[in-house]
């Protein structure tokens, strides 16, 4: 599953409806008094968190969205109808920044609603200006403009587990083998350019682009994708058995994690040594035994061609994510 994780949108709250000048008409009287109603309020812009990680794609070709304007007042002191609020549904895990003001909002819980732009107030009709000194008020005021702004929206996926590792470690292959995903796999580095997601019995697995040494300084594809694993319950660290020094490979990725955010090191982590078919199971097990850095961590040895091992891993992973 491919998804969009950032986007810029121009949002505008509705303009208030104008107040109007109207008169009561009674028989045989030229003026029975002012009766122009106030304008309605313009619609507010409200963001709402929904459980749909892929939602941003819906706005991919949209540049701006407006809330409805308020309606003008009417005769007999009738207030104009308020404009409908614009409710913008965004995935849980969205971070919304007002580019001009720098204000930031985060959507964390399903159903959460936040007003980010206030609609313009409706104008006053002439009835509003009625006073003993002003029995024939001719004035009314226009509705005010609604607030508007450019917003940067980014989604930090709240996946259950994140697949991390060097490029070519077999992360995407593992995602495809475990879930309904059918993401692109390649015998070269940086096949994955955008995160892929898959569903493992209701648990979302996020496969992110490979990390290399120096990713934190922008090498390779950089490491901004790591934001997608900031909120995962667990890291699934994939290391190919093709690497002669598993410890060094492991440490390289851990270093990049730390450079992005130290707290990533505190996350639960399991190790998956991939491509065990290349060396053979026994030789791979020998390599794994040499690694001291994994003490206390669960280590799985897998190959996408070993269906029994995959099935067992899938069952164990589901249990761990519960
Ligand atoms: N022999 C063997 N090859 C595998 C296995 N898993 C993946 N591969 C191969 O390894 C290569 C890289 O696989 P990917 O799944 O694209 O690796 P990745 O970690 O997602 O790579 P990036 O997206 O570049 O970070 C592909 O040629 C896969 O066919 C495995 O279990 N055994
Ligand atoms: Mg990949």
């Amino acid at each position: 599953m491919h998804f969009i994780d950032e986007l810029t949108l121009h949002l505008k709250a509705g303009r208030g409806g104008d107040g109007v000048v109207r008169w009561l008409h009674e028989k045989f009287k030229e003026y029975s008094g002012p009766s122009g109603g106030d304008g309605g309020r313009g619609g507010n812009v409200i963001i709402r968190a929904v459980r749909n990680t892929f939602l941003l794609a819906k706005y991919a070709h949209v540049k701006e969205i407006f809330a409805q304007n308020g309606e003008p007042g009417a005769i007999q002191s009738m207030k104009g109808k308020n404009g409908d609020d614009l409710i913008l549904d965004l995935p849980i895990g969205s971070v919304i920044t007002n580019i001009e003001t720098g204000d930031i909002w985060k959507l964390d819980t399903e159903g959460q609603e936040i007003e980010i732009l206030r609609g313009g107030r409706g104008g006053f009709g002439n009835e509003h200006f009625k006073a003993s000194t002003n029995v024939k008020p001719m004035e009314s005021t226009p509705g005010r403009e609604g607030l508007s702004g450019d917003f940067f929206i980014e989604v930090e996926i709240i996946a259950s587990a994140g697949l991390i590792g060097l490029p070519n470690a077999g992360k995407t292959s593992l995602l495809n083998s475990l879930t309904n995903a059918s993401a692109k796999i390649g015998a070269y580095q940086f096949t994955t350019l955008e995160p892929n997601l898959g569903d493992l019995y209701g648990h979302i697995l996020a496969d992110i682009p490979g990390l290399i040494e120096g990713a934190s300084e922008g090498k390779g594809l950089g490491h901004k994708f790591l934001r997608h694993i900031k909120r995962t319950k667990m890291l699934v660290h994939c290391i190919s058995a093709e690497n002669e020094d598993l410890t060094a490979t492991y440490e390289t990725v851990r270093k990049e994690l730390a450079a992005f955010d130290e707290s990533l090191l505190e996350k639960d982590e399991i190790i998956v040594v991939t491509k065990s078919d290349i060396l053979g199971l026994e030789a791979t097990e020998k390599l794994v035994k040499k690694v001291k850095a994994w003490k206390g961590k669960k280590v799985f040895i897998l190959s996408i061609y070993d269906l029994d091992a995959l099935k067992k891993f899938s069952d164990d992973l589901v249990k761990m994510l519960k």
Side-chain angles (χ1 to χ4, degrees), residues 146-312:
L147 296 176
S148 64
D150 290 321
F151 291 83
F152 181 63
I153 303 169
E154 57 185 328
V155 183
E156 287 173 356
I157 303 170
I158 307 190
S160 302
L163 299 172
I164 55 165
L166 292 189
N168 224 17
K171 302 177 292 297
T172 307
S173 305
L174 188 60
L175 179 84
N176 288 351
S177 307
L178 293 173
T179 71
N180 55 344
S182 55
K184 190 173 165 207
I185 292 168
Y188 44 86
Q189 299 203 331
F190 305 121
T191 311
T192 302
L193 301 173
E194 305 271 349
N196 299 306
L197 300 180
D199 182 337
L200 176 71
Y201 303 106
H203 305 283
I204 298 278
L205 304 189
D207 158 42
I208 59 167
L211 288 168
I212 56 168
E213 188 169 358
S216 49
E217 286 126 45
K219 290 223 178 93
L221 297 174
H223 69 172
K224 69 171 189 159
F225 300 105
L226 285 176
R227 73 168 188 263
H228 293 308
I229 56 167
K230 260 176 29 194
R231 304 205 201 179
T232 57
K233 208 165 172 180
M234 180 189 286
L235 302 179
V236 178
H237 193 147
C238 299
I239 300 174
S240 167
E242 293 162 300
N243 291 289
E244 276 166 25
D245 189 344
L246 299 185
T247 310
T249 310
Y250 174 74
E251 298 296 353
T252 301
V253 171
R254 296 287 286 178
K255 224 175 92 190
E256 295 307 320
L257 293 185
F260 180 76
D261 186 343
E262 288 268 352
S263 70
L264 287 178
L265 298 184
E266 311 294 316
K267 272 196 193 294
D268 284 349
E269 182 191 49
I270 60 169
I271 314 294
V272 173
V273 177
T274 60
K275 312 194 195 183
S276 64
D277 56 296
I278 294 179
L279 293 181
L281 202 53
E282 252 175 59
T284 311
E285 277 168 350
K286 261 193 197 158
L287 263 187
V288 167
K289 279 207 181 102
K290 284 198 227 155
V291 183
K292 300 212 167 53
W294 297 342
K295 273 234 163 66
K297 302 209 165 171
K298 282 207 167 107
V299 182
F300 296 85
I301 298 177
L302 292 182
S303 154
I304 53 166
Y305 305 111
D306 182 347
L307 298 185
D308 290 337
L310 273 180
K311 169 82 174 66
K312 175 153 192 334

Side-chain angles (χ1 to χ4, degrees), residues 104-126:
I104 294 180
W105 299 269
K106 287 189 177 179
L107 292 175
D108 287 320
T109 41
E110 191 169 6
Q112 184 185 0
E113 291 189 7
I114 309 174
E115 180 192 301
I116 58 168
L117 290 174
R118 178 53 65 92
R121 218 178 56 190
F124 293 129
N126 65 336

